[in-house]
Amino acid sequence: MDLNLTREETAFRDELRAWLAGNVPKDWSSWREKPLAESFPYLRAWQRNLHEGGWVAVSWPKEYGGRGATLMQQAIFWEEMARVEAPPMANALGLGLIGPTIIAYGTQAQKKRFIPKILSAEEIWCQGFSEPNAGSDLASLQMEARLDGDHYVVNGQKVWTSYGWVGDWCELVVRTDQEAAKHKGLTVLLVDMKSRGVEVRPLRQMTGESEFNELFFRDVRVPAENVLGKVNDGWNVAVSTLMYERGSYGARLHLIFKRNIDRLIQIARVTPRDGSTAAGNPLIRQKLAQYFAEIEIMRLNQLRAFSHITATGVPGPEGSIQKIFWSELNQRVQQLAQEIMGPYGQLLATDPHAIDKGAWSYGYLRTRGNTIEAGTSEVQRNIIGHFVLGLPRSY
Ligand SMILES: Cc1cc2nc3c(=O)[nH]c(=O)nc-3n(C[C@H](O)[C@H](O)[C@H](O)COP(=O)(O)OP(=O)(O)OC[C@H]3O[C@@H](n4cnc5c(N)ncnc54)[C@H](O)[C@@H]3O)c2cc1C
């Protein structure tokens, strides 16, 4: 593939650069260290501003509020956002996974009702898939919904729901047919999180944050018109959401990883080690060079995935390759940071001696979840084995 920018891509980049130069908030650095719960209104306001400028969900079709940008332009978008260290957008799941699923499966009324408020961050979305006994084996989920007139009545529990604490709406997978085979009796409902009977309980992580939650549903009434896709076809709808999830993150992550490795190289150059610096240690030097190269591989793989999506219109199981690659690489880089910094790497933001205001201790702990969220590494390997390599199924 040709990696040079076309004339249109250069024009797109220049227009975006000009807009960002006039609009990226100058005070983000003072907000980024704060807990997400505190900075969330700030991120919401930033997304609204981006939306008003026409820069949210650039690759979505124009009729749904996007720019109809190509995937290459989307990659340019993330690159430029990273270059100026712009804040992230508040409605990450709405924009990355749930909005695209509503565009693919929603009725006209659903698209009209939900899409504009996803773009403007007026309504934040969460993803209610996992349950205590259904994570990797999602199709075993038990949360049930029974039709009662023109409503479904929902009962059961979800767990690990990111953004549950701030979610206005939830893409919820429920069992609507108890008799059917487990993949066949599922349906996706779009649920107002303020409905009577929804309880959200935060879960505390080892980072100290409560990024995700348990959800309890007790006789929650959901209008039947909020079924996304067809009744009992929820498995296909949910798998589409997961493919968007696995395929989309790599695009922006390689830029963050690149920034991390550049910073780590700087730190290694000044950290004393055995009469020299950490950078003088051959093992550390080898690892830094290896991960630097792997981040470049990640960028190129993402471009290859974009090329595939452009040709076929949908993300494929290849997203699993990216997911394994970035999540395991991120853990290796954070592990190396700990090897370079020694005990200093473990200091928290509150400690005046912490390097980069505790970002490395936070990063080390948070990246442990990378190989679990959006499907574990083992599950991604099963998908690649079966759907990409044509090997026998794992189950
Ligand atoms: C940071 C984070 C955010 C998350 N956000 C959300 C969210 O917003 N919404 C949501 O619904 N869920 C969310 N999750 C949940 C996540 O999707 C599940 O944790 C994940 O799917 C694994 O399920 P589980 O935890 O039940 O583990 P299990 O499925 O019980 O797996 C336990 C172990 O067994 C292995 N294993 C399981 N099955 C197989 C198999 N067939 N072959 C080989 N090995 C196997 C797994 O790889 C794992 O090591 C989040 C998780 C994390 C860590």
Side-chain angles (χ1 to χ4, degrees):
M1 62 187 290
D2 182 359
L3 297 177
N4 293 310
L5 296 190
T6 63
R7 194 142 23 103
E8 291 79 33
E9 286 161 359
T10 307
F12 175 91
R13 185 199 62 191
D14 292 347
E15 189 188 343
L16 173 60
R17 269 192 190 173
W19 189 89
L20 288 173
N23 288 279
V24 169
K26 306 275 181 282
D27 58 349
W28 170 232
S29 58
S30 64
W31 281 90
R32 72 183 334 154
E33 318 300 339
K34 295 185 199 284
L36 189 59
E38 235 176 279
S39 60
F40 206 76
Y42 180 97
L43 300 179
R44 251 183 150 138
W46 163 236
Q47 185 179 327
R48 194 168 52 243
N49 191 19
L50 265 172
H51 176 51
E52 282 162 9
W55 293 107
V56 170
V58 289
S59 64
W60 289 12
K62 286 187 180 151
E63 60 180 306
Y64 300 122
R67 283 187 169 237
T70 62
L71 286 161
M72 194 60 205
Q73 287 170 330
Q74 194 186 5
I76 294 170
F77 173 82
W78 289 118
E79 217 156 302
E80 291 301 315
M81 289 275 283
R83 197 179 56 79
V84 295
E85 300 198 20
M89 285 182 252
N91 210 357
L93 301 187
L95 293 169
L97 352 168
I98 299 167
T101 313
I102 293 176
I103 291 174
Y105 288 92
T107 60
Q108 283 311 322
Q110 286 170 341
K111 291 178 202 175
K112 199 162 163 236
R113 162 67 188 81
F114 294 116
I115 293 296
K117 292 185 178 182
I118 288 178
L119 292 167
S120 63
E122 215 173 317
E123 289 175 346
I124 302 297
W125 282 74
C126 60
Q127 181 191 7
F129 284 30
S130 306
E131 296 183 4
N133 291 315
S136 303
D137 185 13
L138 181 63
S140 295
L141 64 88
Q142 293 302 319
M143 180 176 267
E144 68 157 20
R146 291 187 186 277
L147 194 58
D148 177 24
D150 55 1
H151 282 69
Y152 281 93
V153 180
V154 183
N155 279 288
Q157 186 195 343
K158 296 287 174 185
V159 71
W160 315 126
T161 317
S162 308
Y163 296 91
W165 53 278
V166 77
D168 298 296
W169 285 83
C170 182
E171 180 187 350
L172 192 74
V173 194
V174 293
R175 186 163 299 285
T176 36
D177 186 343
Q178 301 287 347
E179 311 303 325
K182 65 179 185 177
H183 292 81
K184 299 247 158 92
L186 303 176
T187 299
V188 169
L189 296 175
L190 305 176
V191 179
D192 183 346
M193 291 290 282
K194 292 177 193 71
S195 309
R196 180 140 36 115
V198 177
E199 186 192 347
V200 181
R201 288 190 206 160
L203 288 165
R204 196 170 158 84
Q205 295 156 245
M206 61 181 165
T207 55
E209 292 178 314
S210 293
E211 187 185 341
F212 42 46
N213 312 263
E214 292 177 294
L215 306 183
F216 294 88
F217 281 62
R218 293 187 193 87
D219 291 330
V220 177
R221 295 185 70 81
V222 181
E225 67 195 31
N226 285 13
V227 168
L228 182 62
K230 297 198 188 100
V231 174
N232 295 331
D233 189 37
W235 180 249
N236 287 324
V237 180
V239 166
S240 295
T241 303
L242 293 173
M243 284 192 177
Y244 285 116
E245 186 172 26
R246 289 162 191 169
S248 67
Y249 283 137
R252 62 204 95 159
L253 284 177
H254 87 261
L255 296 153
I256 297 168
F257 290 9
K258 174 77 171 53
R259 211 163 45 226
N260 282 348
I261 199 90
D262 287 348
R263 176 73 187 124
L264 204 48
I265 291 167
Q266 277 178 356
I267 294 171
R269 284 186 205 277
V270 295
T271 304
R273 173 76 48 93
D274 301 331
S276 168
T277 61
N281 178 302
L283 293 178
I284 287 178
R285 227 177 26 235
Q286 287 287 311
K287 286 187 189 174
L288 282 169
Q290 176 69 29
Y291 302 158
F292 187 87
E294 287 181 24
I295 291 166
E296 184 60 11
I297 291 170
M298 187 175 147
R299 182 177 80 84
L300 295 172
N301 259 337
Q302 185 65 47
L303 291 175
R304 189 164 57 179
F306 276 169
S307 184
H308 173 88
I309 299 174
T310 307
T312 61
V314 284
E318 297 80 4
S320 292
I321 300 174
Q322 279 293 85
K323 169 70 205 334
I324 293 178
F325 200 87
W326 74 252
S327 55
E328 297 189 351
L329 173 59
N330 204 16
Q331 289 179 349
R332 288 197 295 278
V333 171
Q334 294 291 340
Q335 174 69 40
L336 177 59
Q338 293 299 321
E339 287 168 25
I340 291 173
M341 295 173 206
Y344 282 94
Q346 294 170 28
L347 298 179
L348 303 176
T350 44
D351 193 298
H353 300 289
I355 300 173
D356 296 336
K357 297 187 185 158
W360 297 98
S361 61
Y362 174 86
Y364 180 78
L365 296 174
R366 179 58 184 83
T367 53
R368 304 320 297 168
N370 288 167
T371 46
I372 303 172
E373 61 194 317
T376 66
S377 286
E378 290 78 15
V379 166
Q380 309 299 344
R381 287 192 172 88
N382 284 342
I383 292 171
I384 294 168
H386 182 65
F387 292 101
V388 180
L389 303 179
L391 302 176
R393 267 184 190 279
S394 62
Y395 55 91

Short mmCIF file of all heavy atoms in Angstrom, two decimals, residues 93 127-131 134-137 159-162 211-212 366 369 372-376 378-379 382 394, ligand 1:
data_model
loop_
_atom_site.label_atom_id
_atom_site.label_comp_id
_atom_site.label_asym_id
_atom_site.label_seq_id
_atom_site.Cartn_x
_atom_site.Cartn_y
_atom_site.Cartn_z
N LEU A 93 -17.14 4.90 24.50
CA LEU A 93 -17.82 3.69 24.03
C LEU A 93 -18.94 4.03 23.04
O LEU A 93 -19.18 3.31 22.08
CB LEU A 93 -18.38 2.90 25.21
CG LEU A 93 -17.36 2.44 26.25
CD1 LEU A 93 -18.00 1.52 27.28
CD2 LEU A 93 -16.20 1.72 25.59
N GLN A 127 -21.55 -0.31 28.16
CA GLN A 127 -21.71 -1.58 27.44
C GLN A 127 -22.00 -2.67 28.46
O GLN A 127 -21.08 -3.10 29.17
CB GLN A 127 -20.41 -1.85 26.67
CG GLN A 127 -20.34 -3.08 25.85
CD GLN A 127 -18.89 -3.32 25.39
OE1 GLN A 127 -17.96 -2.64 25.81
NE2 GLN A 127 -18.71 -4.29 24.54
N GLY A 128 -23.24 -3.15 28.54
CA GLY A 128 -23.62 -4.17 29.52
C GLY A 128 -23.59 -5.55 28.90
O GLY A 128 -24.64 -6.08 28.51
N PHE A 129 -22.41 -6.14 28.82
CA PHE A 129 -22.26 -7.47 28.24
C PHE A 129 -21.92 -8.50 29.32
O PHE A 129 -22.69 -9.43 29.56
CB PHE A 129 -21.13 -7.49 27.17
CG PHE A 129 -21.50 -6.86 25.84
CD1 PHE A 129 -22.41 -5.83 25.75
CD2 PHE A 129 -20.90 -7.31 24.67
CE1 PHE A 129 -22.73 -5.25 24.51
CE2 PHE A 129 -21.22 -6.75 23.43
CZ PHE A 129 -22.12 -5.73 23.36
N SER A 130 -20.75 -8.33 30.00
CA SER A 130 -20.24 -9.37 30.90
C SER A 130 -21.13 -9.53 32.13
O SER A 130 -21.74 -8.58 32.63
CB SER A 130 -18.84 -8.99 31.40
OG SER A 130 -18.00 -8.73 30.31
N GLU A 131 -21.15 -10.78 32.62
CA GLU A 131 -21.85 -11.12 33.86
C GLU A 131 -20.90 -11.95 34.73
O GLU A 131 -19.89 -12.43 34.23
CB GLU A 131 -23.12 -11.94 33.54
CG GLU A 131 -24.13 -11.15 32.74
CD GLU A 131 -25.42 -11.93 32.48
OE1 GLU A 131 -25.55 -13.07 32.99
OE2 GLU A 131 -26.27 -11.40 31.77
N ALA A 134 -20.39 -15.08 32.89
CA ALA A 134 -20.34 -15.00 31.42
C ALA A 134 -19.42 -13.84 31.03
O ALA A 134 -19.84 -12.68 31.01
CB ALA A 134 -21.73 -14.80 30.85
N GLY A 135 -18.15 -14.17 30.77
CA GLY A 135 -17.20 -13.16 30.31
C GLY A 135 -16.70 -13.59 28.94
O GLY A 135 -17.27 -13.24 27.91
N SER A 136 -15.66 -14.46 28.94
CA SER A 136 -15.18 -15.00 27.67
C SER A 136 -16.30 -15.76 26.97
O SER A 136 -16.48 -15.64 25.75
CB SER A 136 -14.03 -15.98 27.93
OG SER A 136 -13.01 -15.33 28.63
N ASP A 137 -17.03 -16.53 27.73
CA ASP A 137 -18.16 -17.28 27.15
C ASP A 137 -19.42 -16.43 27.29
O ASP A 137 -20.35 -16.76 28.02
CB ASP A 137 -18.30 -18.61 27.91
CG ASP A 137 -19.37 -19.48 27.29
OD1 ASP A 137 -19.81 -19.18 26.16
OD2 ASP A 137 -19.78 -20.46 27.94
N VAL A 159 -21.53 -7.10 35.14
CA VAL A 159 -20.35 -6.75 35.93
C VAL A 159 -19.27 -6.17 35.00
O VAL A 159 -19.33 -6.39 33.79
CB VAL A 159 -19.83 -7.99 36.72
CG1 VAL A 159 -19.21 -9.03 35.80
CG2 VAL A 159 -18.84 -7.58 37.82
N TRP A 160 -18.35 -5.43 35.58
CA TRP A 160 -17.23 -4.78 34.86
C TRP A 160 -17.72 -3.74 33.87
O TRP A 160 -17.10 -3.54 32.82
CB TRP A 160 -16.35 -5.78 34.08
CG TRP A 160 -15.96 -7.03 34.80
CD1 TRP A 160 -16.15 -8.29 34.35
CD2 TRP A 160 -15.30 -7.14 36.07
NE1 TRP A 160 -15.67 -9.19 35.26
CE2 TRP A 160 -15.15 -8.51 36.33
CE3 TRP A 160 -14.85 -6.21 37.01
CZ2 TRP A 160 -14.55 -8.98 37.49
CZ3 TRP A 160 -14.26 -6.69 38.17
CH2 TRP A 160 -14.12 -8.04 38.38
N THR A 161 -18.84 -3.09 34.15
CA THR A 161 -19.40 -2.15 33.17
C THR A 161 -18.65 -0.81 33.25
O THR A 161 -18.90 0.00 34.14
CB THR A 161 -20.89 -1.91 33.47
OG1 THR A 161 -21.48 -3.17 33.78
CG2 THR A 161 -21.59 -1.28 32.28
N SER A 162 -17.74 -0.60 32.29
CA SER A 162 -17.00 0.68 32.25
C SER A 162 -18.00 1.80 31.98
O SER A 162 -18.95 1.61 31.22
CB SER A 162 -15.97 0.66 31.12
OG SER A 162 -15.16 -0.47 31.20
N GLU A 211 -13.37 2.63 37.86
CA GLU A 211 -13.66 2.86 36.44
C GLU A 211 -14.88 2.04 36.02
O GLU A 211 -15.66 2.45 35.19
CB GLU A 211 -12.42 2.40 35.68
CG GLU A 211 -12.37 2.66 34.23
CD GLU A 211 -11.10 2.01 33.66
OE1 GLU A 211 -10.15 1.69 34.41
OE2 GLU A 211 -11.07 1.80 32.45
N PHE A 212 -14.99 0.84 36.59
CA PHE A 212 -16.14 0.02 36.20
C PHE A 212 -17.00 -0.40 37.38
O PHE A 212 -16.64 -0.15 38.53
CB PHE A 212 -15.75 -1.16 35.33
CG PHE A 212 -14.53 -1.91 35.72
CD1 PHE A 212 -14.30 -2.29 37.03
CD2 PHE A 212 -13.60 -2.25 34.77
CE1 PHE A 212 -13.18 -3.01 37.38
CE2 PHE A 212 -12.47 -2.97 35.11
CZ PHE A 212 -12.26 -3.36 36.41
N ARG A 366 -2.70 -0.30 35.62
CA ARG A 366 -3.86 -0.25 34.72
C ARG A 366 -3.69 -1.19 33.52
O ARG A 366 -4.66 -1.77 33.03
CB ARG A 366 -4.11 1.19 34.25
CG ARG A 366 -5.28 1.37 33.28
CD ARG A 366 -6.59 0.88 33.88
NE ARG A 366 -7.71 0.94 32.94
CZ ARG A 366 -7.98 0.01 32.03
NH1 ARG A 366 -7.20 -1.06 31.89
NH2 ARG A 366 -9.03 0.14 31.25
N GLY A 369 -5.11 -4.88 33.09
CA GLY A 369 -6.46 -5.14 32.55
C GLY A 369 -6.51 -5.19 31.03
O GLY A 369 -7.48 -5.67 30.45
N ILE A 372 -7.32 -8.38 29.35
CA ILE A 372 -8.61 -8.96 29.76
C ILE A 372 -9.75 -8.23 29.05
O ILE A 372 -10.65 -8.84 28.48
CB ILE A 372 -8.81 -8.86 31.29
CG1 ILE A 372 -7.66 -9.53 32.02
CG2 ILE A 372 -10.15 -9.47 31.69
CD1 ILE A 372 -7.68 -9.30 33.53
N GLU A 373 -9.69 -6.87 29.08
CA GLU A 373 -10.81 -6.08 28.51
C GLU A 373 -10.92 -6.35 27.01
O GLU A 373 -9.95 -6.68 26.35
CB GLU A 373 -10.61 -4.59 28.78
CG GLU A 373 -9.36 -3.99 28.19
CD GLU A 373 -9.04 -2.61 28.76
OE1 GLU A 373 -9.95 -1.79 28.93
OE2 GLU A 373 -7.85 -2.36 29.04
N ALA A 374 -12.14 -6.20 26.51
CA ALA A 374 -12.44 -6.43 25.08
C ALA A 374 -12.06 -7.84 24.63
O ALA A 374 -11.75 -8.07 23.46
CB ALA A 374 -11.74 -5.38 24.21
N GLY A 375 -12.08 -8.80 25.56
CA GLY A 375 -11.75 -10.19 25.22
C GLY A 375 -10.31 -10.51 25.58
O GLY A 375 -9.39 -9.78 25.18
N THR A 376 -10.10 -11.59 26.34
CA THR A 376 -8.75 -11.90 26.83
C THR A 376 -7.84 -12.33 25.67
O THR A 376 -8.31 -12.68 24.59
CB THR A 376 -8.79 -13.06 27.85
OG1 THR A 376 -9.20 -14.25 27.17
CG2 THR A 376 -9.74 -12.77 29.00
N GLU A 378 -6.23 -15.07 25.41
CA GLU A 378 -6.50 -16.46 25.03
C GLU A 378 -7.68 -16.52 24.06
O GLU A 378 -7.65 -17.25 23.07
CB GLU A 378 -6.82 -17.31 26.28
CG GLU A 378 -5.63 -17.55 27.20
CD GLU A 378 -5.30 -16.35 28.08
OE1 GLU A 378 -6.13 -15.42 28.19
OE2 GLU A 378 -4.19 -16.32 28.65
N VAL A 379 -8.70 -15.71 24.35
CA VAL A 379 -9.88 -15.70 23.48
C VAL A 379 -9.52 -15.14 22.10
O VAL A 379 -9.95 -15.66 21.06
CB VAL A 379 -11.02 -14.91 24.16
CG1 VAL A 379 -12.13 -14.56 23.18
CG2 VAL A 379 -11.58 -15.72 25.32
N ASN A 382 -7.89 -17.81 20.20
CA ASN A 382 -8.88 -18.78 19.69
C ASN A 382 -9.54 -18.25 18.42
O ASN A 382 -9.76 -19.00 17.46
CB ASN A 382 -9.97 -19.03 20.75
CG ASN A 382 -9.48 -19.93 21.88
OD1 ASN A 382 -8.48 -20.65 21.73
ND2 ASN A 382 -10.18 -19.90 23.00
N SER A 394 -12.19 -24.03 19.35
CA SER A 394 -11.69 -24.34 20.69
C SER A 394 -12.81 -24.82 21.60
O SER A 394 -12.56 -25.20 22.72
CB SER A 394 -11.05 -23.10 21.29
OG SER A 394 -12.04 -22.09 21.43
C1 LIG B 1 -10.56 -2.77 32.23
C2 LIG B 1 -11.76 -3.62 31.88
C3 LIG B 1 -12.89 -3.01 31.36
C4 LIG B 1 -14.01 -3.79 31.04
N1 LIG B 1 -15.15 -3.16 30.57
C5 LIG B 1 -16.25 -3.89 30.30
C6 LIG B 1 -17.45 -3.24 29.88
O1 LIG B 1 -17.51 -2.01 29.74
N2 LIG B 1 -18.54 -4.00 29.64
C7 LIG B 1 -18.51 -5.37 29.78
O2 LIG B 1 -19.54 -6.00 29.52
N3 LIG B 1 -17.39 -6.02 30.19
C8 LIG B 1 -16.26 -5.31 30.46
N4 LIG B 1 -15.12 -5.94 30.90
C9 LIG B 1 -15.17 -7.40 31.15
C10 LIG B 1 -14.37 -8.23 30.15
O3 LIG B 1 -15.01 -8.25 28.89
C11 LIG B 1 -14.24 -9.65 30.75
O4 LIG B 1 -13.48 -9.52 31.94
C12 LIG B 1 -13.54 -10.58 29.80
O5 LIG B 1 -14.37 -10.87 28.70
C13 LIG B 1 -13.14 -11.90 30.49
O6 LIG B 1 -14.20 -12.47 31.15
P1 LIG B 1 -14.08 -12.94 32.69
O7 LIG B 1 -13.49 -11.82 33.46
O8 LIG B 1 -15.39 -13.48 33.10
O9 LIG B 1 -12.99 -14.12 32.68
P2 LIG B 1 -13.24 -15.62 32.27
O10 LIG B 1 -14.01 -15.68 31.00
O11 LIG B 1 -13.79 -16.35 33.44
O12 LIG B 1 -11.76 -16.11 31.96
C14 LIG B 1 -10.86 -16.54 32.99
C15 LIG B 1 -9.59 -17.07 32.32
O13 LIG B 1 -9.89 -18.22 31.51
C16 LIG B 1 -9.43 -18.01 30.17
N5 LIG B 1 -10.37 -18.62 29.23
C17 LIG B 1 -11.72 -18.50 29.25
N6 LIG B 1 -12.27 -19.17 28.21
C18 LIG B 1 -11.24 -19.69 27.49
C19 LIG B 1 -11.16 -20.47 26.30
N7 LIG B 1 -12.25 -20.84 25.62
N8 LIG B 1 -9.93 -20.80 25.85
C20 LIG B 1 -8.80 -20.44 26.52
N9 LIG B 1 -8.82 -19.70 27.66
C21 LIG B 1 -10.02 -19.33 28.14
C22 LIG B 1 -9.40 -16.49 30.00
O14 LIG B 1 -8.51 -16.12 28.97
C23 LIG B 1 -8.96 -16.03 31.38
O15 LIG B 1 -7.56 -16.11 31.49
C24 LIG B 1 -13.99 -5.20 31.23
C25 LIG B 1 -12.83 -5.82 31.75
C26 LIG B 1 -11.73 -5.03 32.08
C27 LIG B 1 -10.52 -5.72 32.64
#
